[in-house]
């Protein structure tokens, strides 16, 4: 029994040691001020046609409704197929994001080469199920054609200090994903403080996450610019420490073109040009696609 406790202490200190390499003791007020400064100073200059086209190409076009069906998801996918013919000069969305049971229908019907198939997995959105179920759900989604997996970290484990439990699970799921992208959702509204968001970001990246994502959109508050700022700072610090570039995905409550421009601006100012591609920047939204498209083509469009 004592040996078991000793092992737990070792494991815990491993994560504490990883966190100790970073400045995690952030002040919420300072984060608020710095975020406000970036928004005030730079958003206006990014309000251009080129940026809007770029943002459109970063969308994970998402449908996560209780009433989704094979029929509705097929229609959803066909809009993405039709986009190429209708708008040949524009780059398509980055991915279609669906529940795991729809990976097969998207995989069978998607005709566009460079659009990924993302599935939310692992007991989304609460993440409250057995690790075995999380792993199995992920494996099934991948077998059915998912090319990316979005999971929610075990927020309860994180908040109660069980970093080992949280991280082991991410590692196990990443292991199943192999080369395919794993995005971990922090549910920043539940984490509340900048310090928690910083720590959860670092632990997720340390455990193999390819992207860190703000929110599920199923819980309030969803994404905020402050959370985005902290996560981008974490990504930058992690990159400086390890040389590994991790992507960023704000999601939940991105309801306007201006919201998207705010996130774009934060990423650009904190992480720089190297993150300005959809291999490292995504937007989780369905609402935004038509709004961005309307501004790009200069008339109100309801395409998706």
């Amino acid at each position: 029994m004592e040996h078991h406790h000793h092992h737990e202490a070792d494991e815990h200190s491993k994560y504490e040691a990883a966190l100790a390499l970073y400045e995690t003791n952030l002040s919420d007020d300072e984060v608020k001020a710095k975020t406000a400064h970036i928004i005030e100073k730079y958003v206006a200059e990014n309000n251009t046609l080129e940026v809007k086209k770029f943002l459109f190409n970063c969308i994970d076009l998402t449908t996560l409704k209780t009433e989704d069906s094979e029929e509705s998801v097929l229609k959803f996918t066909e809009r993405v197929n039709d986009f190429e013919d209708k708008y040949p000069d524009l780059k398509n969305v980055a991915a279609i994001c669906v529940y795991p049971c729809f990976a097969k229908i998207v995989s069978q019907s998607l005709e566009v080469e460079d659009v990924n198939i993302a599935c939310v997995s692992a007991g989304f959105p609460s993440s409250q199920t057995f690790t075995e179920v999380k792993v199995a759900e992920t494996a099934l989604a991948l077998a059915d054609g998912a090319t990316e997996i979005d999971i929610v970290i075990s927020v309860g484990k994180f908040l109660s200090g069980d970093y080992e439990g949280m991280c082991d699970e991410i590692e196990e799921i990443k292991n199943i994903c192999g080369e395919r992208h794993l995005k971990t959702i922090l549910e920043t509204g539940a984490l509340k403080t900048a310090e928690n968001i910083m720590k959860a970001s670092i632990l997720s990246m340390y455990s193999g996450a390819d992207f860190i994502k703000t929110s599920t959109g199923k819980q309030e508050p969803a994404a905020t610019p402050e959370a985005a700022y902290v996560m981008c700072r974490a990504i930058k610090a992690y990159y400086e420490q390890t040389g590994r570039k991790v992507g960023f995905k704000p999601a939940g409550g991105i309801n306007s073109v201006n919201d998207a421009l705010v996130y774009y601006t934060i990423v650009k100012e904190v992480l720089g040009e190297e993150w300005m591609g959809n291999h490292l920047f995504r937007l989780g939204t369905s609402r935004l696609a038509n709004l961005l498209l309307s501004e790009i083509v200069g008339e109100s469009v309801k395409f998706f």
Side-chain angles (χ1 to χ4, degrees), residues 2-301:
E2 274 176 31
H3 175 72
H4 179 67
H5 280 300
H6 180 65
H7 168 72
E8 270 188 9
D10 280 354
E11 283 291 319
H12 194 69
S13 62
K14 173 173 107 173
Y15 298 110
E16 292 294 353
L19 289 172
L21 297 170
Y22 301 91
E23 181 50 66
T24 56
N25 188 14
L26 303 181
S27 137
D28 291 324
D29 289 340
E30 188 201 340
V31 164
K32 214 177 165 115
K34 286 193 165 156
T35 307
H37 171 74
I38 289 173
I39 292 169
E40 200 179 322
K41 195 166 175 192
Y42 301 108
V43 171
E45 72 188 40
N46 293 324
N47 189 358
T48 68
L49 185 62
E50 282 316 301
V51 169
K52 286 169 193 174
K53 286 180 182 173
F54 167 74
L55 288 170
F56 186 85
N57 185 230
C58 294
I59 290 177
D60 282 359
L61 194 69
T62 305
T63 182
L64 297 171
K65 296 195 200 72
T66 302
E67 60 272 30
D68 286 342
S69 64
E70 292 217 335
E71 198 181 349
S72 72
V73 171
L74 178 62
K75 278 193 180 137
F76 193 72
T77 308
E78 283 174 343
R79 297 313 282 157
V80 175
N81 290 339
D82 294 344
F83 183 82
E84 289 213 301
D85 295 334
K86 184 85 199 275
Y87 300 102
D89 302 340
L90 294 176
K91 285 186 176 169
N92 216 319
V93 294
I96 294 179
C97 182
V98 294
Y99 280 116
C101 49
F102 299 116
K104 184 166 266 175
I105 192 94
V106 178
S107 170
Q108 287 169 345
S109 55
L110 183 65
E111 290 160 10
V112 189
E113 291 268 304
D114 47 3
V115 176
N116 283 288
I117 302 166
C119 283
V120 294
S121 179
F124 177 95
S126 69
S127 196
Q128 298 287 20
T129 188
F130 304 96
T131 300
E132 294 86 342
V133 172
K134 294 182 178 187
V135 170
E137 186 178 23
T138 303
L140 289 165
L142 293 166
D144 273 354
T147 59
E148 302 185 325
I149 296 290
D150 291 33
I151 66 166
V152 181
I153 65 166
S154 286
V155 176
K157 285 190 167 79
F158 171 79
L159 290 173
S160 54
D162 179 12
Y163 298 154
E164 185 186 354
M166 169 199 157
C167 291
D168 280 354
E169 207 168 68
I170 296 170
E171 279 177 34
E172 214 171 317
I173 295 168
K174 176 56 189 167
N175 214 15
I176 293 282
C177 290
E179 290 298 296
R180 288 161 293 197
H181 277 153
L182 176 64
K183 308 189 197 102
T184 61
I185 304 165
L186 308 184
E187 201 65 283
T188 51
L191 298 180
K192 295 191 167 56
T193 67
E195 181 173 0
N196 278 341
I197 294 168
M198 187 75 174
K199 285 182 174 171
S201 296
I202 289 159
L203 291 172
S204 293
M205 294 186 283
Y206 179 76
S207 305
D210 300 293
F211 267 77
I212 54 177
K213 172 176 166 184
T214 55
S215 325
T216 59
K218 304 289 184 196
Q219 185 170 335
E220 292 297 320
T224 64
E226 289 77 16
Y229 172 78
V230 173
M231 289 168 72
C232 287
R233 266 188 51 177
I235 290 168
K236 185 177 187 175
Y238 185 79
Y239 172 61
E240 285 167 356
Q241 191 73 238
T242 65
R244 187 164 83 86
K245 289 187 183 127
V246 173
F248 173 63
K249 178 178 170 182
I254 304 176
N255 296 326
S256 69
V257 171
N258 192 64
D259 289 343
L261 291 172
V262 164
Y263 291 115
Y264 170 88
T265 303
I266 291 167
V267 173
K268 191 175 165 195
E269 292 307 316
V270 178
L271 290 168
E273 288 298 328
E274 289 178 64
W275 267 259
M276 299 279 100
N278 71 11
H279 62 301
L280 289 169
F281 180 56
R282 296 287 177 83
L283 293 157
T285 179
S286 48
R287 207 164 293 147
L288 188 67
N290 285 326
L291 296 173
L292 268 173
L293 191 55
S294 298
E295 294 208 6
I296 290 164
V297 301
E299 59 179 8
S300 180
V301 181

